[in-house]
Amino acid sequence: MPAMEQLISDIEAHCAACGISPQKLLREAINAKWGQWQDWKDGKSSPTMKVVDRLRAHMAGAEMTATGHGLVSQEEATGAA
């Protein structure tokens, strides 16, 4: 599977498991504009490797938090939660 198709598939699976939209994930992880997800899916644009790395790190952190492996959100770490 080509890299962009794999990324889209991974994002969709992560979002389904977390109960959020891909648009929300992109906003939280990389501060993307609301139409960014559709642009990626339509092939109008694609992320840089730096953006992909940030996005995957964000998804991994969310999965670790959800499974109770010791990571906390930035708000919890700063006492804002």
Side-chain angles (χ1 to χ4, degrees):
M1 177 180 296
M4 191 62 189
E5 288 178 21
Q6 183 64 53
L7 177 64
I8 287 172
S9 177
D10 292 348
I11 291 170
E12 289 174 335
H14 173 82
C15 290
C18 292
I20 62 171
S21 69
Q23 294 87 341
K24 180 173 174 62
L25 174 68
L26 266 59
R27 289 288 290 181
E28 290 175 355
I30 60 170
N31 197 29
K33 64 179 181 151
W34 282 110
Q36 192 67 53
W37 173 247
Q38 196 59 50
D39 287 349
W40 288 1
K41 287 193 69 166
D42 293 343
K44 293 179 183 177
S45 69
S46 59
T48 64
M49 287 307 299
K50 184 176 180 178
V51 167
V52 171
D53 290 344
R54 285 178 48 205
L55 186 55
R56 289 198 181 278
H58 183 84
M59 290 191 299
E63 289 169 4
M64 292 291 283
T65 300
T67 58
H69 286 96
L71 294 179
V72 295
S73 70
Q74 201 166 29
E75 291 82 16
E76 290 171 320
T78 61

